[in-house]
Amino acid sequence: MHTDGKGHSGYIITLGKSYLHARSGKQKFTATSSTEAEIIAAVESCKMAIWIREILRELNIDELRPITLLQDNKSSLIMVCDPSTFKRSKHMLTKINYLRDLKRTGIITATHLGTDEMTSDLLTKALQGTIFTKHRDNLQGLEWTKHI
């Protein structure tokens, strides 16, 4: 978290085993919880992934599978996958509904991935030792440990 209360998010977009795009940066909005920060990051990453997908479609690459959104925050994953509304989430309902619509139409699938396996943590946290080496190798495509 930055000194002004805004979160820091990072995401990696891949095509198969190939790294296409990564982003790490300060969030534009102030989140009141880690779940809200994860929802904000998920929306931004999905918008970029869909943009890249449309470029691939323009290049006549039509055999595209749904975009897999990997999430280590179980609360945000439940909000996206569960059609019910949550009392304390009205302020982020548009973002949640955007992700739900993407999931409902089959554009994305949302899957839980443990924090130990989340390579994008390399873009948001100071990692050391074997965890740093593991995520660095995953990002560089040297060794992929998780296939979806």
Side-chain angles (χ1 to χ4, degrees):
M1 184 179 298
H2 293 272
T3 56
D4 61 358
K6 294 185 178 171
H8 193 93
S9 59
Y11 59 84
I12 300 168
I13 297 174
T14 61
L15 181 63
K17 293 184 180 182
S18 301
Y19 153 83
L20 291 177
H21 175 73
R23 182 184 183 282
S24 174
K26 185 177 179 179
Q27 291 183 343
K28 296 176 185 176
F29 307 102
T30 303
T32 57
S33 67
S34 62
T35 300
E36 184 179 359
E38 292 281 351
I39 293 287
I40 292 169
V43 167
E44 293 303 313
S45 65
C46 283
K47 288 190 320 190
M48 179 57 77
I50 290 168
W51 182 76
I52 290 171
R53 183 185 181 94
E54 291 304 314
I55 290 174
L56 294 173
R57 191 177 315 282
E58 286 290 322
L59 295 171
N60 292 323
I61 301 173
D62 291 329
E63 299 284 327
L64 298 173
R65 291 180 279 162
I67 297 165
T68 303
L69 174 65
L70 300 174
Q71 182 60 258
D72 64 350
N73 184 299
K74 289 183 180 179
S75 298
S76 61
L77 191 61
I78 289 169
M79 285 183 170
V80 171
C81 295
D82 187 358
S84 62
T85 56
F86 300 88
K87 289 181 181 179
R88 298 177 191 247
S89 66
K90 282 187 177 181
H91 63 288
M92 58 182 171
L93 199 54
T94 55
K95 290 175 178 57
I96 294 169
N97 284 333
Y98 173 72
L99 295 171
R100 285 179 181 170
D101 284 346
L102 293 177
K103 186 173 183 318
R104 183 181 45 78
T105 57
I107 295 172
I108 68 167
T109 60
T111 305
H112 181 264
L113 183 66
T115 302
D116 298 346
E117 300 296 320
M118 190 62 70
T119 301
S120 61
D121 280 356
L122 187 64
L123 304 174
T124 61
K125 300 174 184 169
L127 302 176
Q128 299 175 0
T130 57
I131 293 177
F132 170 80
T133 304
K134 174 183 170 182
H135 292 324
R136 181 203 61 203
D137 291 348
N138 280 343
L139 184 61
Q140 293 177 338
L142 300 175
E143 178 184 319
W144 288 89
T145 58
K146 186 72 177 177
H147 296 281
I148 302 286

